[in-house]
Amino acid sequence: MSLDTEPVDYPKSFGKDFAAGLVVFLVALPLCLGIALASNAPLISGLVAGCIGGLIVSWISGSHTSVSGPAAGLTAVVVAQIEKLGTFEAFLVAVVLAGIIQIVLGVIRAGSLAAFFPSSVIKGLLAAIGVILILKQIPHIFGHDPDWMGDMQFQQRDGKNTFTELIATWFDIHPGASVVGLVSLLILTFWNKTPLQKTGIPAPLGVVMLGALASLGLENMGGLWAIGATHSVQVPVTDGVGGLIKSLPSPDWSSLTKPVVYVAAITIAIVATLETLLNLEAVDNLDKLQRVSPPNRELFAQGVGNMSSGLLGGLPLTSVIIRSSVNVDMGAKTRMSCFIHGVFLFGMVAMFPQALNRIPLASLAAILLATGIKLASPALFRQMKKDGPNVFLPFVITVLAIVFTDLLVGILIGMAVAIGFILHSNLNRPLRHIIEKHVTGDVHRICLSNQVSFLNKASIMSVLHGFDRGSNVVIEASDTDYIDPDILDLIHDFENNIAPAHELTLSLVGFKDRYAKLKDRIQHVDVTTRDVQKEVTAEQVIGLLRDGNDRFVNGEQIARDPRRQIGATSEGQFPLAVVLACADSRIATEMLFDRGLGDIFSVRLAGNVVSSKGLGSIEYGCAVAGAKVLLVMGHTRCGAVNATIDLLAKGEDAEKATGCEHISSITNCISQAIEMETETKEDRTSTNEEFSDRVTELNVRRTMKSIPEKSGTIRRLVEEENIKIVGAVYDIRSGKVRFLD
């Protein structure tokens, strides 16, 4: 069920949503201010974007976990566009136009592009955000706050970078902030193991409350211990709601005449759309309920949000991974948490800015650092490594690229690397080369992939030019939807020139009618003919049966055309083997040995017990139809064997116990095999599977011996070495056939 139609019980989940919304608000507050500061925009514009994301976008979006607001990934774009446009008011016009573009993208369903983002990039994004949160919040925990809190870039505007900031922290430790930060980390770590858990207050909220109280206490101590304004949240103080509204900048509509405004709008729309779709996919991965957010609806919601933000003087917004991660981590169930965060953001900023300015940045940094540890867990790296280098390398490169550049550049690098791995895999695997063992010899089956482009030409040429003279080759396009004209020309040239010159027998299978140059045709012999049957030996037939069962067990069966084989065998059957199988052995012998129609003459009798009529069928298959092998095949967990074992153990008469008047002809024969089994002294019942399996094997050997004793025809064929009798046991659990010595 999609999220836009899924019924939601808002009252039932309100408690968790309220707590999550409150904590997200506390985290979002300094991030909104920091992003505005880094963007060379009024501080109030970051708060406006955060409020719009919570109050408006939350109800239009189809996601219950995503939180929208000003994004660090857009900072570089915003700075560049404000400089080009000259004024922030002209930039607001570009934000409104970008919102309109996103609405159009949502309507035309451009959000479906999200399905093409590699999972390695999505998981790399999450891990990278975790690493950045850890590295960026350590300075704030120790009171080193020259860099703004929402900074996600490696290279900072002040000329420093993430690592130099870490080094500088050890020479600029603020005692008061450090105490608050480290104690906050301890509280977050051990909250659930202390009596504080019983208060019902979420750990992050408790950390902020205790941090604010600690700030007041440290202020009374004075000196180095006092946490001043530079180490606390710095919300602009306005005169209530009216003063807040008066401070909002307005769009300069006269800039609509400037072409550069439209270029800026397109740039913002593209970057915001890309970041939103990636973040939305990442947040869905975090959602404990594993809900899937509709990307087209999200684009529409973001478009409305950006239009509103631009009109009210706010920064452009996107779905934001940090706030969304905190939201999920706090146990949010519905979009109500995002709305509540918006309510708090608007109400508290408008009515109680002084109270917010008492919150130490160290407390908020501890919350973000704890979130980062969960996002970049070692378990995630171990899991990605298990998925192989084609997944792990793009994942690691994405993480490193985001950490050492910024969110947008890192994502683009990660996408390029992931796409490169995909292209490399496709270029080197445009086909599967399978060597099939047929009665007439090996057949090279070349199965083309779903999409075959001109980029695959070199790989296909190297395979087609590598066959030995006289080989049988099949090119199959049954599962192919598109073949580039260059590849069609290559195959056509191979068919008409190269194959004849090298005496290759070429068959084409599955080519669509639209490929006018290429028509399906089978030239190799894929059914047993009289001539093939005459030339093949018993040992070769046994080898074919073994190979066929191996293919069956491994799921590598030969691709055959049953309709064609029906026609090819309509004039007669020239079997390679007669198989005496049990009536309840679950599967057709042709499937079990991966043989074509007419290759096997099947006789099925309960318990592999041979009657006079069964002998007649076997004699016909060997003496008249010309089979070279008589295979007696029992199977594990055989109903006839187990029933006879239990009847004998209880001393019951088979006919009386079952009500079947002819069943004794079966049980009497199997009883001989039971008597032959002398290893087992205790538990000689069907529940003892080892005992049952040994009886099955002995019963097969008994039947192998009794057939030539009862049939002079079979005995003569064996003596003349025209047939060979072999035994086997089929394991119904694995599909493996074990041939007996």
Side-chain angles (χ1 to χ4, degrees):
M1 184 179 292
S2 62
L3 287 176
D4 50 354
T5 60
E6 182 179 354
V8 178
D9 191 348
Y10 290 108
K12 184 178 180 180
S13 59
F14 183 79
K16 287 187 175 293
D17 289 338
F18 183 86
L22 182 55
V23 173
V24 172
F25 148 68
L26 293 170
V27 171
L29 180 62
L31 296 180
C32 290
L33 295 170
I35 291 169
L37 180 66
S39 301
N40 291 336
L43 292 181
I44 195 68
S45 65
L47 297 172
V48 169
C51 291
I52 295 296
L55 299 175
I56 296 178
V57 175
S58 61
W59 293 110
I60 304 175
S61 167
S63 174
H64 287 295
T65 51
S66 174
V67 180
S68 297
L74 285 175
T75 302
V77 175
V78 172
V79 170
Q81 298 307 321
I82 291 176
E83 289 178 356
K84 289 180 181 179
L85 293 170
T87 65
F88 183 72
E89 288 72 17
F91 173 76
L92 292 177
V93 176
V95 175
V96 174
L97 295 176
I100 295 173
I101 294 172
Q102 284 188 297
I103 291 174
V104 174
L105 291 174
V107 171
I108 65 175
R109 308 186 69 79
S112 57
L113 291 172
F116 295 95
F117 294 146
S119 62
S120 57
V121 174
I122 301 299
K123 293 180 179 179
L125 166 64
L126 288 171
I129 294 297
V131 172
I132 291 174
L133 284 176
I134 294 170
L135 297 176
K136 289 288 189 180
Q137 300 313 312
I138 288 176
H140 294 298
I141 283 179
F142 289 98
H144 181 69
D145 301 311
D147 189 34
W148 52 281
M149 199 165 188
D151 191 358
M152 300 291 286
Q153 295 179 326
F154 178 77
Q155 195 66 41
Q156 299 171 181
R157 290 177 56 197
D158 58 6
K160 298 180 181 179
N161 60 48
T162 302
F163 293 142
T164 59
E165 205 70 79
L166 285 170
I167 295 172
T169 299
W170 304 115
F171 301 98
D172 183 31
I173 294 177
H174 187 283
S178 298
V179 169
V180 171
L182 294 174
V183 171
S184 295
L185 270 179
L186 288 173
I187 292 173
L188 288 170
T189 303
F190 298 104
W191 181 276
N192 291 334
K193 299 178 181 179
T194 67
L196 293 171
Q197 180 188 12
K198 298 179 181 179
T199 62
I201 300 174
L205 180 57
V207 161
V208 172
M209 294 169 60
L210 294 173
L213 292 174
S215 178
L216 287 172
L218 292 169
E219 185 177 331
N220 293 330
M221 293 176 61
L224 295 175
W225 293 98
I227 300 177
T230 56
H231 302 294
S232 303
V233 176
Q234 299 181 42
V235 178
V237 178
T238 59
D239 185 16
V241 177
L244 181 65
I245 294 175
K246 288 180 182 179
S247 67
L248 299 179
S250 300
D252 178 10
W253 299 109
S254 64
S255 60
L256 284 171
T257 58
K258 301 176 181 178
V260 68
V261 169
Y262 300 95
V263 175
I266 294 172
T267 303
I268 294 169
I270 291 174
V271 176
T273 295
L274 175 63
E275 188 166 337
T276 288
L277 293 178
L278 278 164
N279 287 340
L280 189 69
E281 187 87 7
V283 175
D284 283 347
N285 283 342
L286 295 175
D287 186 8
K288 295 178 176 63
L289 299 179
Q290 290 299 294
R291 293 169 289 190
V292 179
S293 305
N296 296 308
R297 181 170 168 178
E298 185 67 26
L299 285 185
F300 183 86
Q302 295 295 331
V304 174
N306 276 315
M307 278 187 60
S308 304
S309 186
L311 289 171
L312 295 175
L315 290 173
L317 51 87
T318 71
S319 170
V320 189
I321 190 65
I322 296 177
R323 274 156 269 188
S324 301
S325 301
V326 173
N327 191 39
V328 172
D329 191 41
M330 286 303 303
K333 300 297 183 183
T334 73
R335 68 192 75 189
M336 180 64 74
S337 62
C338 181
F339 175 73
I340 289 171
H341 123 273
V343 171
F344 273 108
L345 200 56
F346 176 75
M348 295 296 288
V349 168
M351 305 302 297
F352 308 104
Q354 294 90 345
L356 296 177
N357 289 340
R358 286 288 184 180
I359 300 174
L361 292 177
S363 296
L364 301 176
I367 297 172
L368 291 173
L369 191 147
T371 300
I373 292 173
K374 293 179 181 178
L375 290 176
S377 67
L380 175 60
F381 284 82
R382 288 195 297 268
Q383 180 58 49
M384 297 302 291
K385 188 174 182 180
K386 288 181 181 178
D387 291 339
N390 285 352
V391 174
F392 184 64
L393 289 178
F395 166 77
V396 170
I397 292 172
T398 300
V399 172
L400 294 175
I402 294 176
V403 170
F404 285 100
T405 57
D406 59 35
L407 194 63
L408 181 61
V409 173
I411 286 172
L412 294 176
I413 292 173
M415 287 287 291
V417 171
I419 291 171
F421 272 87
I422 294 171
L423 288 176
H424 179 267
S425 176
N426 287 338
L427 288 176
N428 287 280
R429 297 178 184 175
L431 51 81
R432 288 185 301 125
H433 181 186
I434 305 168
I435 301 178
E436 301 175 346
K437 301 289 184 180
H438 285 258
V439 291
T440 53
D442 292 351
V443 173
H444 298 267
R445 183 173 294 272
I446 308 302
C447 300
L448 300 180
S449 60
N450 183 262
Q451 303 285 325
V452 185
S453 72
F454 69 93
L455 297 173
N456 305 127
K457 187 173 182 178
S459 298
I460 295 175
M461 284 181 63
S462 66
V463 173
L464 294 183
H465 292 175
F467 299 118
D468 294 333
R469 183 175 294 273
S471 297
N472 288 315
V473 180
V474 179
I475 301 178
E476 182 173 349
S478 301
D479 297 326
T480 306
D481 292 332
Y482 171 77
I483 303 178
D484 188 273
D486 282 0
I487 304 300
L488 293 174
D489 289 340
L490 172 65
I491 297 174
H492 184 256
D493 178 64
F494 182 78
E495 177 186 23
N496 291 282
N497 299 310
I498 298 175
H502 291 81
E503 299 177 3
L504 302 177
T505 302
L506 178 65
S507 302
L508 302 177
V509 177
F511 284 85
K512 310 292 189 295
D513 293 337
R514 64 177 180 270
Y515 306 140
K517 294 182 179 180
L518 302 173
K519 299 298 181 183
D520 284 6
R521 60 195 180 109
I522 298 291
Q523 297 202 100
H524 70 280
V525 179
D526 61 347
V527 296
T528 305
T529 63
R530 187 184 299 278
D531 291 338
V532 170
Q533 185 196 58
K534 183 179 179 180
E535 294 298 325
V536 74
T537 66
E539 293 300 331
Q540 289 175 322
V541 172
I542 295 171
L544 290 170
L545 295 178
R546 289 180 184 273
D547 292 340
N549 181 244
D550 288 341
R551 291 195 300 271
F552 172 78
V553 171
N554 296 325
E556 300 173 349
Q557 293 94 324
I558 291 174
R560 294 184 172 88
D561 184 351
R563 291 172 299 178
R564 181 183 177 280
Q565 290 199 337
I566 288 172
T569 57
S570 61
E571 298 298 325
Q573 179 180 5
F574 305 98
L576 300 173
V578 172
V579 178
L580 172 58
C582 183
D584 73 336
S585 59
R586 276 71 164 179
I587 191 169
T589 49
E590 288 85 358
M591 292 179 61
L592 191 61
F593 293 109
D594 190 27
R595 301 311 313 163
L597 298 183
D599 287 352
I600 291 176
F601 196 109
S602 294
V603 180
R604 303 186 70 153
L605 296 168
N608 308 102
V609 173
V610 183
S611 65
S612 58
K613 293 181 179 179
L615 277 176
S617 297
I618 293 172
E619 289 174 348
Y620 178 83
C622 295
V624 179
K628 297 297 181 70
V629 168
L630 168 56
L631 174 63
V632 180
M633 185 176 69
H635 65 94
T636 60
R637 297 183 179 180
C638 177
V641 170
N642 285 341
T644 306
I645 288 173
D646 291 336
L647 287 170
L648 192 63
K650 296 175 183 178
E652 295 181 350
D653 180 82
E655 185 175 334
K656 291 180 180 180
T658 63
C660 301
E661 58 182 305
H662 296 100
I663 198 169
S664 58
S665 62
I666 297 173
T667 57
N668 289 343
C669 293
I670 298 176
S671 295
Q672 297 175 32
I674 298 173
E675 293 170 358
M676 293 166 61
E677 206 288 320
T678 57
E679 290 184 33
T680 306
K681 304 302 181 184
E682 299 179 356
D683 191 14
R684 293 173 64 87
T685 66
S686 63
T687 57
N688 185 346
E689 290 201 22
E690 292 184 3
F691 172 63
S692 175
D693 290 347
R694 283 197 293 270
V695 171
T696 296
E697 179 177 331
L698 290 170
N699 186 53
V700 168
R701 295 185 183 277
R702 183 200 59 78
T703 301
M704 292 170 59
K705 182 179 179 182
S706 68
I707 289 176
E709 290 177 350
K710 295 179 179 180
S711 171
T713 301
I714 299 299
R715 184 168 61 253
R716 175 177 53 80
L717 292 173
V718 171
E719 291 172 350
E720 294 173 354
E721 298 185 350
N722 287 323
I723 67 166
K724 185 172 184 177
I725 302 177
V726 293
V729 176
Y730 157 54
D731 189 335
I732 62 171
R733 289 159 293 194
S734 66
K736 183 67 177 176
V737 174
R738 177 172 60 89
F739 285 81
L740 306 181
D741 295 335

